[in-house]
């Protein structure tokens, strides 16, 4: 699975959009981009995933660049409850290996 | 996610003791996983199971064993606990063909 690079921390004002970047310059054609978050010592929570098209669900939007070497997770109206560590993970869809490789992620702090 | 439960939620034990952590799921998923998380670090895979008769070691399986008693149950055992196994343990589930993993609330283990 390709390696990802994320900033260690970010701040965001409550009610504003939070834009979390992720670099995955070695991503291959059959690898998807997944985002999870972990709210203080709770189990990680799936947010969204995508291959090359932009994706949106009730939690967030995922923007993937045309060359697929980077992506941005957007939380459109951040709340205090969105304070968490956000993990960007790249892996083959339906791969034989079981694990998700969690790096250190980005610690997002939403401030009032 | 309430569909994935872990017991106990907290456990204190002594060096050399055998302990078992249990995971149950009502999601009907065929795949189950055990991860551990150390402070400030990402999750690392201990064992995973793609079905009842398929058990696989993860990257840090030494000192651990697992049992998949049924599709819905996956137990992790520490045969002889040692202090460096003090960590937060997470169980997760997924469906074959879909890469989204759903995590339990975690078990906080302290080995004295």
């Amino acid at each position: 699975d390709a390696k990802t690079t994320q900033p260690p921390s970010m701040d965001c004002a409550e009610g504003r959009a939070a834009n979390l970047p992720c670099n995955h310059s070695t991503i291959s054609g059959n690898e998807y981009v997944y985002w999870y978050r972990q709210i203080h010592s709770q189990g990680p929570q799936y947010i969204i995933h995508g291959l090359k098209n932009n994706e949106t669900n009730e939690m967030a939007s995922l923007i993937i660049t045309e060359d697929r070497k980077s992506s941005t997770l957007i939380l459109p109206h951040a709340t205090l409850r969105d304070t968490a560590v956000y993990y960007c993970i790249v892996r083959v869809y339906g791969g034989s290996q079981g694990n998700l490789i969690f790096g250190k992620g980005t610690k997002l702090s939403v401030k009032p | 996610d309430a569909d994935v439960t872990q017991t106990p939620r907290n456990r204190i034990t002594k060096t050399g003791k055998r302990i078992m952590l249990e995971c149950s799921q009502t999601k009907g998923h065929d795949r189950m996983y055990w991860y551990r998380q150390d402070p400030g670090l990402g999750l690392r895979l201990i064992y995973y199971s793609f079905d009842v008769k398929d058990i696989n070691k993860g990257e840090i399986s030494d000192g651990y064993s697992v049992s998949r008693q049924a599709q819905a149950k996956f137990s992790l055992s520490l045969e002889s606990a040692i202090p460096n196994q003090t960590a937060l343990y997470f169980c997760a589930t997924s469906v074959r063909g879909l890469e989204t993993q759903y995590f339990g609330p975690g078990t906080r283990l302290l080995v004295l």
Side-chain angles (χ1 to χ4, degrees):
Chain A
D1 296 334
K3 182 178 171 63
T4 62
T5 303
Q6 299 176 253
S9 64
M10 293 182 62
D11 290 340
C12 178
E14 188 178 20
R16 297 294 194 114
N19 297 284
L20 292 91
C22 179
N23 287 320
H24 31 79
S25 59
T26 60
I27 193 170
S28 59
N30 62 346
E31 288 182 314
Y32 283 65
V33 180
Y34 288 81
W35 283 85
Y36 284 75
R37 73 180 182 183
Q38 186 175 23
I39 298 171
H40 185 60
S41 296
Q42 296 180 22
Q45 177 188 24
Y46 164 80
I47 302 173
I48 198 168
H49 74 279
L51 180 63
K52 55 183 179 180
N53 298 320
N54 297 339
E55 302 287 345
T56 296
N57 63 20
E58 65 279 4
M59 291 182 67
S61 294
L62 174 61
I63 308 298
I64 303 173
T65 58
E66 191 169 346
D67 63 8
R68 303 208 323 120
K69 293 184 176 182
S70 65
S71 60
T72 301
L73 178 73
I74 301 173
L75 308 179
H77 305 286
T79 71
L80 299 179
R81 289 178 295 179
D82 292 322
T83 292
V85 178
Y86 288 77
Y87 297 98
C88 171
I89 298 167
V90 171
R91 63 171 283 129
V92 175
Y93 194 85
S96 59
Q97 294 184 350
N99 59 308
L100 299 171
I101 298 176
F102 288 82
K104 295 189 175 181
T106 295
K107 182 174 174 56
L108 175 68
S109 298
V110 181
K111 300 180 183 300
Chain B
D1 191 322
D3 297 326
V4 183
T5 58
Q6 293 184 234
T7 55
R9 295 293 312 279
N10 294 279
R11 178 74 184 269
I12 300 174
T13 191
K14 295 182 178 180
T15 297
K17 294 290 189 180
R18 181 181 189 276
I19 67 164
M20 178 182 290
L21 309 182
E22 299 188 349
C23 177
S24 296
Q25 52 111 350
T26 59
K27 300 185 78 68
H29 290 174
D30 51 351
R31 299 183 172 192
M32 298 186 73
Y33 312 81
W34 275 105
Y35 291 87
R36 69 175 273 177
Q37 185 174 33
D38 296 283
L41 300 179
L43 281 72
R44 292 182 293 168
L45 186 68
I46 306 172
Y47 270 95
Y48 62 102
S49 170
F50 282 177
D51 65 41
V52 175
K53 294 183 179 180
D54 180 29
I55 305 290
N56 304 281
K57 292 183 177 181
E59 62 178 300
I60 54 164
S61 60
D62 287 349
Y64 301 95
S65 63
V66 292
S67 173
R68 185 84 184 266
Q69 302 95 319
Q71 186 187 46
K73 296 184 182 296
F74 194 36
S75 300
L76 176 71
S77 294
L78 286 68
E79 298 301 325
S80 179
I82 56 176
N84 76 0
Q85 292 178 312
T86 292
L88 192 52
Y89 290 83
F90 291 104
C91 173
T93 73
S94 70
V95 176
R96 178 184 178 187
L98 297 176
E99 296 305 312
T100 302
Q101 293 189 12
Y102 297 88
F103 287 79
T107 294
R108 190 174 296 277
L109 175 66
L110 173 61
V111 182
L112 300 175

